[in-house]
Amino acid sequence: MKRRSAMKIAAGAIIGGGAGVLTLTQAFKPEPLPEKTPQKLEPEKSETNWEYTYLDPSVSGQIAYDQYSVGSCMYASFYGVASQIAEKLGGEYALFPFDMMKYGHGGVGGFGTLCGALNGAAALIGLFVGDKKMRDSLINELFQWYENTQLPVFKPRKAAMDYTPASSVSHSTLCHASTTNWSKASGFKVDSNERKERCRRLSGEVAAKVTTILNSFFNDGYVTVYQNNDNTGTCLTCHGKEGKLNNISGKMDCNSCHTKSVAHKLFGDVHYKYMKAK
């Protein structure tokens, strides 16, 4: 079919109304990316020479919660795990410069990018898992969990504030998007004490989660859980490295920042069908 014929079909579909548009979008839809299958990840000898030992996730979460006031989110999630390793194993672990993790507050120096709690947790995975493919898989699991889960639900033994934060789904790993979505769900401002308590508990939640992941990886062999994100998969079909456009590199939920225009929804698939690969 020629491009001109396709445009005529598109015009006819629009004139035909809703049913015609639906038929149009389905007829020219590109083949979706193949579904990811669960994989079992088993540790090999780490290139980092930093040893992990089994920890109680609830203890990690409580330490992170308590340490939030010392150095904010990234410091808290990292310290919640690494400080226990230092206490158990001593030596070089006890000499680790924990204060360096304070830079990650507010999405790195308050810039609103990657959530500090996730940044600290990813640093932990990087510290203990030397293999790039396995390290990336574990970080992807953690980040997808964060994007798609109603958080926080963590309950500290002794709360710093007499307030139980509302939980929300962030749909993003970015600090500014996550906190904004929470503010909309809770009705509290981003600079409120209630938001700080939310992030304090979120730091505990993430520390507990990464402890669970590391425990499973080093003791049982970790089986991946999260599959393709539908929003991301739809975009990467055309814009990812396997698509004709090949102008996007990423795995995070695209819809947290980008939305499709009406024209994109109606004509994007038709246009892509007859586009030459770059």
Side-chain angles (χ1 to χ4, degrees), residues 55-256:
L55 301 174
D56 182 341
S58 66
V59 174
S60 298
Q62 186 63 47
I63 293 173
Y65 178 85
D66 293 337
Q67 289 295 312
Y68 180 86
S69 59
V70 176
S72 196
C73 43
M74 180 177 179
Y75 174 87
S77 66
F78 186 89
Y79 190 91
V81 176
S83 64
Q84 294 183 79
I85 304 287
E87 186 176 342
K88 289 189 174 188
L89 301 182
E92 60 187 355
Y93 300 90
L95 299 176
F96 195 93
F98 295 113
D99 280 358
M100 71 177 287
M101 298 299 170
K102 292 180 180 179
Y103 79 85
H105 75 93
V108 184
F111 210 71
T113 59
L114 179 62
C115 164
L118 288 179
N119 204 344
L124 287 164
I125 294 172
L127 185 64
F128 298 116
V129 182
D131 181 84
K132 181 179 183 293
K133 184 176 180 181
M134 293 188 187
R135 181 174 64 239
D136 287 354
S137 291
L138 294 176
I139 291 172
N140 289 340
E141 288 277 296
L142 175 70
F143 281 24
Q144 285 188 312
W145 163 81
Y146 180 95
E147 275 190 333
N148 297 294
T149 305
Q150 198 87 15
L151 299 172
V153 295
F154 175 82
K155 294 183 179 179
R157 288 195 296 270
K158 184 178 179 182
M161 182 179 181
D162 185 19
Y163 167 70
T164 300
S167 59
S168 63
V169 180
S170 68
H171 298 296
S172 177
T173 56
L174 301 179
C175 172
H176 78 271
S178 178
T179 53
T180 296
N181 287 340
W182 180 83
S183 291
K184 289 178 180 177
S186 67
F188 288 102
K189 295 182 182 295
V190 168
D191 62 353
S192 65
N193 288 330
E194 287 80 5
R195 196 277 306 158
K196 292 175 184 175
E197 178 63 16
R198 175 259 186 182
C199 288
R200 191 193 315 267
R201 296 195 185 203
L202 195 56
S203 298
E205 192 106 48
V206 171
K209 180 64 176 182
V210 75
T211 301
T212 300
I213 289 174
L214 290 170
N215 283 348
S216 178
F217 179 70
F218 284 107
N219 292 277
D220 309 314
Y222 188 87
V223 178
T224 58
V225 176
Y226 287 95
Q227 308 303 310
N228 292 6
N229 180 299
D230 289 340
N231 294 330
T232 307
T234 299
C235 296
L236 292 181
T237 297
C238 303
H239 292 273
K241 63 181 181 179
E242 304 298 331
K244 294 178 184 178
L245 291 166
N246 191 12
N247 60 358
I248 289 178
S249 174
K251 298 176 184 177
M252 64 184 292
D253 191 331
C254 304
N255 283 7
S256 62

Side-chain angles (χ1 to χ4, degrees), residues 28-40:
F28 290 92
K29 190 169 289 296
E31 280 293 318
L33 296 174
E35 282 291 323
K36 292 179 181 177
T37 56
Q39 293 181 311
K40 185 172 184 179

